[in-house]
Amino acid sequence: ADEDDAEGEIIQDEEAGTESTVVSLGAGVKKRVTLNIQAVQHKNLAARVLYELSAHLKGYMGPFVLPALEALLNLSAEKHSGDVRASATLAIVKTVEAYLDGLKRRLIINSSSASPNEVIQQCLLRLLQSLRNEINSTSRSCAAESLRDTISACFDASSVAVDGSRFAFLVTPDLALCQKLIKELLQLCGESLTRRSELLGGNGGGARRADTS
């Protein structure tokens, strides 16, 4: 960056489809950072398109389901855009539902490289990682919603007996994975409650004590 460049000023290049700004690295050092917003927009659009396709075609996506899931798992780790991560995590659960529907209708043949349990495990671990590491509140909420709905989709993909019980589950996550999910989710819930308690104690606690005095 040049010495006279203003820190934080955003410069848009519509022809190149980029945005750039200057950040300070300390000790008087400045650096210009450029982001290809056109590429980011394309990724977000791709995730949204896969969401709609999976939601409407369901199992009829057939052999395209697994490549779509692989692409979405990669997009859910997009480091430059919270919007892309949010769109991708929401699309993952719709694509999982399409995958399970395809298995149930026998429209999808089990891959020799990955069993249904392995496919679902990969999705659950990716969503758990997103929930654990996400710093954007909207993306984190989307990851939590998708994790919940993916687990529910696995349960709903089973058959229902006359007495209401479930049988013939298409996927059965192994015990180790279930224990990992429960342990980490409880830990995340505990950390969230601690932060909430600290926030209320710092901001609202004094006001409430003043009202009662």
Side-chain angles (χ1 to χ4, degrees):
D2 297 330
E3 292 184 1
D4 56 347
D5 284 339
E7 184 179 347
E9 180 183 1
I10 298 177
I11 299 177
Q12 294 184 335
D13 187 335
E14 295 184 1
E15 184 176 345
T18 61
E19 284 186 356
S20 65
T21 188
V22 174
V23 296
S24 175
L25 302 180
V29 179
K30 295 181 179 180
K31 184 176 180 63
R32 178 169 294 280
V33 179
T34 302
L35 175 65
N36 187 335
I37 58 173
Q38 199 170 45
V40 171
Q41 291 169 348
H42 286 168
K43 290 179 179 180
N44 195 29
L45 178 61
R48 290 174 177 270
V49 167
L50 289 175
Y51 177 101
E52 295 296 337
L53 286 173
S54 299
H56 289 87
L57 293 178
K58 296 189 180 299
Y60 293 98
M61 283 189 69
F64 302 104
V65 170
L66 290 180
L69 263 179
E70 183 179 357
L72 289 169
L73 290 172
N74 290 331
L75 288 176
S76 69
E78 166 60 47
K79 61 182 179 180
H80 298 299
S81 172
D83 288 341
V84 172
R85 295 193 298 274
S87 297
T89 52
L90 290 176
I92 284 173
V93 64
K94 289 300 177 184
T95 311
V96 165
E97 291 172 356
Y99 175 65
L100 295 173
D101 183 64
L103 290 175
K104 199 167 187 176
R105 296 174 184 270
R106 300 183 184 277
L107 297 171
I108 297 177
I109 301 174
N110 290 343
S111 171
S112 59
S113 59
S115 67
N117 280 348
E118 290 171 333
V119 171
I120 298 303
Q121 177 174 323
Q122 186 179 10
C123 294
L124 291 174
L125 290 176
R126 174 67 253 182
L127 291 170
L128 182 63
Q129 184 179 357
S130 296
L131 183 58
R132 186 196 312 118
N133 299 334
E134 184 58 67
I135 58 174
N136 180 285
S137 59
T138 300
S139 301
R140 185 167 57 249
S141 296
C142 290
E145 179 181 333
S146 295
L147 181 61
R148 178 200 65 196
D149 291 348
T150 298
I151 296 172
S152 296
C154 295
F155 179 78
D156 293 338
S158 58
S159 300
V160 185
V162 177
D163 62 357
S165 61
R166 296 274 180 165
F167 68 99
F169 290 91
L170 291 177
V171 290
T172 52
D174 61 40
L175 181 59
L177 174 61
C178 294
Q179 290 175 330
K180 178 180 177 65
L181 287 172
I182 292 171
K183 180 180 178 180
E184 296 216 24
L185 287 174
L186 288 175
Q187 181 180 346
L188 289 171
C189 288
E191 292 172 357
S192 178
L193 289 173
T194 299
R195 289 193 299 270
R196 179 178 175 81
S197 177
E198 292 174 349
L199 181 63
L200 291 176
N203 295 335
R208 286 195 297 273
R209 285 192 294 272
D211 291 340
T212 57
S213 60

